[in-house]
């Protein structure tokens, strides 16, 4: 099955903890993206990567970190520095040279 | 950075009524995309418009790109309960190739 997967579907975090959200794709896409969605709001870009071993900050990168060691994987770490991490996190991927993005099912993060 | 404004934020219709959402930018866009997100789901790509004045149809959905390439609309004729969800427009983010800027989305509710 080709596609983009995210895990876990739901994640609970205690205040002060770092957590890592997984994003994997087997679509052979070069570009990968992380978005945050808050209730009733649009998508805000956290980080994106156009190629392995390279990534750029999006509009709301503070309190987050990423890595892109493999083409298939783009994990997002929500650090304790992120003051309001409770949100729906969406990962997406796309082909180089094309703007269309394909989204994973998302991870809902709740801070207790 | 580039901003894309989308209106209305919410729209409630009776099944069978028409629905339109609008997307506006202060800058000329190279292209615009539309996505649909079902409740609890993730955004799914619907279509991309590239040419000035372009009109594309998908069954009951009609997508338009303005002549000046600064605005776009999505019109649904005779809504059905399956049309429920949030509709987003997205435009390529200025000088950052492959980076999309999403509108805030229009949440559509269809009453049977």
């Amino acid at each position: 099955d080709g596609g983009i997967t995210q895990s876990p579907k739901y994640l609970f975090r205690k205040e002060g903890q770092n957590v890592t959200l997984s994003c994997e794709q087997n679509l052979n896409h070069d570009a990968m993206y992380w978005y945050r969605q808050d209730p009733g709001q649009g998508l805000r870009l956290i980080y994106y990567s156009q190629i392995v071993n390279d990534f750029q900050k999006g509009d709301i990168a503070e309190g987050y970190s990423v890595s892109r060691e493999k083409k298939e994987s783009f994990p997002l770490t929500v650090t304790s520095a992120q003051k309001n991490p409770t949100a729906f996190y969406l990962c997406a991927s796309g082909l180089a040279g094309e703007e269309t993005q394909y989204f994973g099912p998302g991870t809902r993060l709740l801070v207790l | 950075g580039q901003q894309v404004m989308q209106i209305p934020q919410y729209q409630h219709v009776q099944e069978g009524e028409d629905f339109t959402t609008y997307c506006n930018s202060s800058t000329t866009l190279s292209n615009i995309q539309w996505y649909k997100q079902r409740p609890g789901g993730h955004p799914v790509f619907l279509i991309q418009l590239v040419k000035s004045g372009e009109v594309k149809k998908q069954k009951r959905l009609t997508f338009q790109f303005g002549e000046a390439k600064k605005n776009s609309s999505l019109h649904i004729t005779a809504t059905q309960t399956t049309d429920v969800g949030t509709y987003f427009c997205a435009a390529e983010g200025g000088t950052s190739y492959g980076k999309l800027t999403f509108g805030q989305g229009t949440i559509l509710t269809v009453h049977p």
Side-chain angles (χ1 to χ4, degrees):
Chain A
D1 251 354
I4 179 165
T5 58
Q6 292 185 243
S7 61
K9 189 171 182 180
Y10 298 95
L11 186 58
F12 299 93
R13 190 194 91 169
K14 293 182 181 179
E15 282 199 31
Q17 281 184 338
N18 292 356
V19 289
T20 298
L21 282 58
S22 167
C23 178
E24 303 278 332
Q25 53 96 3
N26 61 4
L27 301 168
N28 201 32
H29 287 168
D30 295 296
M32 297 186 74
Y33 310 83
W34 273 107
Y35 293 92
R36 170 183 172 137
Q37 185 176 33
D38 293 284
Q41 296 191 29
L43 306 177
R44 292 186 289 169
L45 183 64
I46 304 172
Y47 268 98
Y48 64 107
S49 168
Q50 302 279 27
I51 196 168
V52 175
N53 291 323
D54 188 43
F55 48 84
Q56 286 79 40
K57 292 182 179 180
D59 301 317
I60 55 166
E62 186 175 349
Y64 300 97
S65 66
V66 293
S67 63
R68 187 86 188 275
E69 296 176 4
K70 299 188 297 181
K71 187 175 185 178
E72 303 79 20
S73 179
F74 192 39
L76 173 75
T77 296
V78 184
T79 75
S80 56
Q82 170 49 237
K83 299 193 185 317
N84 185 20
T86 294
F88 186 40
Y89 291 87
L90 287 156
C91 179
S93 68
L95 288 168
E98 293 187 12
E99 293 84 11
T100 304
Q101 295 183 13
Y102 301 86
F103 285 82
T107 293
R108 295 190 185 275
L109 174 64
L110 179 64
V111 175
L112 304 175
Chain B
Q2 178 160 294
Q3 288 193 329
V4 176
M5 304 302 294
Q6 191 174 352
I7 57 169
Q9 187 175 2
Y10 301 95
Q11 185 77 59
H12 299 262
V13 299
Q14 289 293 132
E15 191 171 19
E17 291 181 339
D18 291 355
F19 158 75
T20 305
T21 174
Y22 301 90
C23 198
N24 295 287
S25 170
S26 57
T27 59
T28 301
L29 304 171
S30 57
N31 59 67
I32 195 157
Q33 300 179 22
W34 286 92
Y35 291 78
K36 176 183 179 180
Q37 183 177 24
R38 294 183 185 276
H42 59 276
V44 174
F45 173 76
L46 293 177
I47 208 159
Q48 176 172 283
L49 305 172
V50 179
K51 299 177 184 176
S52 168
E54 189 170 15
V55 177
K56 288 188 176 180
K57 292 192 176 184
Q58 291 180 350
K59 298 183 180 178
R60 294 177 294 104
L61 277 62
T62 301
F63 304 84
Q64 292 190 332
F65 202 9
E67 293 289 343
K69 299 182 74 173
K70 289 185 175 182
N71 56 72
S72 181
S73 66
L74 158 60
H75 179 83
I76 302 178
T77 303
T79 54
Q80 300 175 358
T81 54
T82 53
D83 295 325
V84 162
T86 304
Y87 293 85
F88 294 98
C89 60
E92 189 178 353
T95 56
S96 299
Y97 186 71
K99 175 185 166 188
L100 291 179
T101 297
F102 282 80
Q104 301 93 318
T106 296
I107 301 172
L108 173 63
T109 304
V110 180
H111 300 283

